[in-house]
């Protein structure tokens, strides 16, 4: 029996227009009635996710910053930041590479340096609580950084990811989109956040379902036995998952929940 469902947002639950499935309200209500916990799991910051899902705030678990922070009922139940000296070092490397724009994602908000309009618009989309600073490297020590997010003008998998090869063993470096890359504390993933929730409530992996589309969702599939990649997912994630469901634009998440959880 499924007791917990974790779902990525962009490219998975949300369609290409960033819209929720038409039946999301109904699904959340049914899950709540059956005592099944639903977690929105995102690389976005808490304020941004909460704003979109505020009407469901009493029914959802919020796994944000790719697993570095978890909220339930308005209370923080997990916070796992990067080492300050390592974060500053990584930001220094990124700052010196053309075509990269770094966002320091702190407990008290995200910040980065002023750049061109494309960068700013991409940042605002995901970081509601955001401010510009003169020097992101020097200001990085002012807050506990949950994550460093990097927007790459090229492709993050081919450009930014290889640039950080010296940190693969000491930090968690994840390609999270065609132009996005995230750096978290070693061991911190959406999967590690789910494990924290599993321990609190006593959920077993076989009682957990997960949906995702990109490689920052991969560790969710390790801890949730019923793992689904949406049809539009990265091929490597599809290979990791137990199942493939319909795409985000075809509302694959809610269709699968209806079929598998409720037998409709």
């Amino acid at each position: 029996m499924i007791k917990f469902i974790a779902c990525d947002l962009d490219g998975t639950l949300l369609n290409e227009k960033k819209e929720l499935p038409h039946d999301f309200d109904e699904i959340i209500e049914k899950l709540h009635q059956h005592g099944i916990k639903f977690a929105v799991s995102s690389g976005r910051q808490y304020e941004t996710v909460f704003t979109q899902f505020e009407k469901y705030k009493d029914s959802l678990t919020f796994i944000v910053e790719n697993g570095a922070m978890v909220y339930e009922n308005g209370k923080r139940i997990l916070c796992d930041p990067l080492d300050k000296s390592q974060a500053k070092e990584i930001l220094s490397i990124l700052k010196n590479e053309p075509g990269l724009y770094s966002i320091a994602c702190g407990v008290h908000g995200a910040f980065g340096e002023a750049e061109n309009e494309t960068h700013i618009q991409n940042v605002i989309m995901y970081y509601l609580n955001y401010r510009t600073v003169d020097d992101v490297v020097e200001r990085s020590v002012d807050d506990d950084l949950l994550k460093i997010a990097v927007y790459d003008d090229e492709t993050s998998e081919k450009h930014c990811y290889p640039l950080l090869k010296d940190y693969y063993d000491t930090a968690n470096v994840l390609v999270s989109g065609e132009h996005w890359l995230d750096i978290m504390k070693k061991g911190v993933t959406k999967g590690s956040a789910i494990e924290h929730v599993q321990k609190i409530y006593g959920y077993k992996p076989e009682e957990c379902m997960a949906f995702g589309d990109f490689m920052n969702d991969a560790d969710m599939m390790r801890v949730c036995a019923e793992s689904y990649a949406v049809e539009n997912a990265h091929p490597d994630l599809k290979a990791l998952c137990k199942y493939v469901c319909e795409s985000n634009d075809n509302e694959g998440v809610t269709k699968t929940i209806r079929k598998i959880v409720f037998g409709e």
Side-chain angles (χ1 to χ4, degrees), residues 242-257:
K242 191 174 180 180
Y243 309 103
V244 175
C245 67
E246 290 190 47
S247 71
N248 62 328
D249 283 338
N250 287 331
E251 302 186 341
V253 172
T254 52
K255 284 182 180 178
T256 301
I257 292 173

Side-chain angles (χ1 to χ4, degrees), residues 118-189:
T118 300
H119 291 145
I120 296 300
Q121 290 304 314
N122 274 287
V123 168
I124 292 173
M125 184 189 305
Y126 299 107
Y127 299 95
L128 187 65
N129 183 3
Y130 174 82
R131 67 186 189 277
T132 56
V133 295
D134 292 334
D135 191 324
V136 69
V137 177
E138 294 305 315
R139 295 298 297 275
S140 66
V141 298
D142 294 346
D143 198 355
D144 288 320
L145 299 191
L146 301 164
K147 182 185 71 179
I148 297 169
V150 189
Y151 182 82
D152 194 326
D153 283 338
E154 298 178 30
T155 57
S156 55
E157 190 171 10
K158 295 180 179 179
H159 179 207
C160 188
Y161 184 72
L163 185 69
L164 298 173
K165 62 182 183 297
D166 290 342
Y167 295 92
Y168 292 169
D169 293 333
T170 57
N172 194 17
V173 184
L174 291 173
V175 174
S176 54
E178 182 181 0
H179 295 283
W180 287 98
L181 181 135
D182 295 328
I183 305 111
M184 284 85 64
K185 178 181 175 181
K186 185 68 175 178
V188 170
T189 64

Side-chain angles (χ1 to χ4, degrees), residues 60-131:
L60 300 182
T61 298
F62 293 87
I63 297 173
V64 294
E65 304 286 13
N66 273 334
M69 186 176 282
V70 180
Y71 275 84
E72 281 191 340
N73 300 313
K75 296 181 180 179
R76 188 191 305 162
I77 64 172
L78 177 68
C79 181
D80 210 351
L82 283 155
D83 173 77
K84 285 181 181 292
S85 61
Q86 185 184 56
K88 186 175 181 179
E89 187 176 281
I90 291 172
L91 284 166
S92 296
I93 292 171
L94 297 170
K95 184 174 181 176
N96 291 323
E97 178 70 15
L100 301 181
Y101 182 67
S102 299
I103 303 105
C105 306
V107 171
H108 300 292
F111 53 94
E113 296 176 12
E115 277 285 341
N116 62 46
E117 187 66 19
T118 300
H119 291 145
I120 296 300
Q121 290 304 314
N122 274 287
V123 168
I124 292 173
M125 184 189 305
Y126 299 107
Y127 299 95
L128 187 65
N129 183 3
Y130 174 82
R131 67 186 189 277

